[in-house]
Structures are given as structure tokens and as C-alpha cells.
Amino acid sequence: AAGQLLRAGGARAPPAEAAAEGMAAAEKALALDESLAEGHAAVGTLLCLRGDLARGIASLERAIERNPGLAAA
């Protein structure tokens, strides 16, 4: 998911396309392992970028609960 954000930031893909790919990757990772702090952080970041702050912050808080030292959260 983080790689998709970098693709968008580097103008390698349209931002909407990269965000959709990033969300799909993060959701797939969480489907495989709900405890992944990185997955929750990616979902939270993407939701916040979409303007869904309540859900985005909740996801970022889940990331912090799972790994308080995660810089992305």
C-alpha cells in the first residue's frame, strides 16, 4: 500500500488509481492477518486522504495499538 502512495507521489500513476490499488493491497493484507499494524496504518492514511477522517483516525489508532513504535501511524 505504501508503494502505491509513492507511485502516486512520483507521478507514476494517477493518484486515484494508486490510492485504489493501495487500499486493495492493505485490505488484502489485513484479511490475511488482522494484527498487521502496517495494514491498519495504510488504510488509515488512505481514508484520511479521501476525507474520511473518523474512519481513518480509528484505523491509525488500531495501528498504534498493535505497534506503538510504527512511524507510519
Side-chain angles (χ1 to χ4, degrees):
Q4 301 308 325
L5 289 174
L6 291 174
R7 269 181 16 122
R12 294 186 190 98
E17 177 185 325
E21 290 173 4
M23 184 64 80
E27 288 174 341
K28 182 177 180 179
L30 289 173
L32 294 171
D33 185 352
E34 173 67 23
S35 70
L36 289 173
E38 294 84 352
H40 288 287
V43 168
T45 299
L46 290 165
L47 288 171
C48 286
L49 289 173
R50 286 184 186 170
D52 190 347
L53 297 180
R55 288 180 47 214
I57 291 169
S59 190
L60 290 167
E61 287 173 343
R62 282 191 294 278
I64 293 168
E65 288 170 5
R66 284 159 176 80
N67 182 353
L70 182 65

